[in-house]
Amino acid sequence: MFRGLHTINLDAKGRLAIPTKYREPLSTLCGARLVATIDTEERCLLVYPINEWEVIQAKIEALPSFNPAARRIQRLLIGHATDLELDGSGRVLLPPSLREYAELDKEIVLVGQGKKLELWSKSMWEGRRDEYLDMVSQSDQLPEELMSISL
């Protein structure tokens, strides 16, 4: 459902306008209800339609809480999960704690990832994207699954 890259401005209150092309599908799919949480590998946010998030949360909750690594993931992902709702103008308000984690300021990038979106600061995204491109051009060891995809 989500693909492409969108540069968006965050307003002074911490609101971002969801691209128009996503508003209707989100309204139909999940009643315009989203969940944002931190990415534990990158300084960005993960944004899910609530129905997608509920599946992931159930899997995270099912992890053994006596396993320290599983407990950390539970604390980080579920602990930071925040309900968001599109307002009448198609905007969502990001809480300060999530904006601080991802270092989001005025210019942000929304990156479609199929069933979810990622929110990045523009400068962090551009730096990371360039690193990824360097890794791809230097790597001759792509996963076998990628070798069967024809572009």
Side-chain angles (χ1 to χ4, degrees):
M1 173 176 168
F2 302 113
R3 61 178 168 257
L5 190 99
H6 306 274
T7 301
I8 301 171
N9 287 325
L10 200 60
D11 73 12
K13 294 180 182 178
R15 295 177 300 196
L16 69 111
I18 297 296
T20 307
K21 75 178 193 173
Y22 296 144
R23 293 179 194 174
E24 176 71 29
L26 283 171
S27 182
T28 303
L29 178 68
C30 61
R33 295 173 46 221
L34 305 167
V35 174
T37 192
I38 65 171
D39 184 326
T40 59
E41 301 296 318
E42 301 281 357
R43 285 286 186 170
C44 71
L45 302 180
L46 306 175
V47 181
Y48 295 88
I50 191 144
N51 56 315
E52 294 290 340
W53 172 253
E54 287 172 344
V55 171
I56 292 166
Q57 182 170 330
K59 291 177 181 180
I60 295 169
E61 288 173 348
L63 294 172
S65 61
F66 289 114
N67 178 310
R71 191 73 186 131
R72 278 192 302 274
I73 291 298
Q74 290 168 331
R75 287 180 175 139
L76 291 170
L77 294 179
I78 298 172
H80 284 93
T82 303
D83 293 308
L84 308 174
E85 192 164 346
L86 271 73
D87 68 13
S89 299
R91 298 172 304 189
V92 294
L93 175 64
L94 294 174
S97 60
L98 292 180
R99 292 193 317 262
E100 289 169 18
Y101 174 82
E103 299 177 24
L104 302 178
D105 52 17
K106 181 79 174 149
E107 288 188 299
I108 62 175
V109 175
L110 192 66
V111 182
Q113 294 293 292
K115 293 182 178 183
K116 70 177 179 284
L117 295 157
E118 292 181 349
L119 272 176
W120 291 77
S121 81
K122 186 177 179 193
S123 60
M124 288 182 74
W125 168 253
E126 289 173 347
R128 200 60 163 136
R129 178 202 57 206
D130 292 346
E131 287 177 28
Y132 291 150
L133 290 170
D134 286 344
M135 287 179 199
V136 169
S137 66
Q138 295 172 8
S139 175
D140 58 352
Q141 296 181 338
L142 292 174
E144 194 171 311
E145 296 83 3
L146 285 177
M147 300 307 286
S148 65
I149 297 174
S150 176
L151 296 177

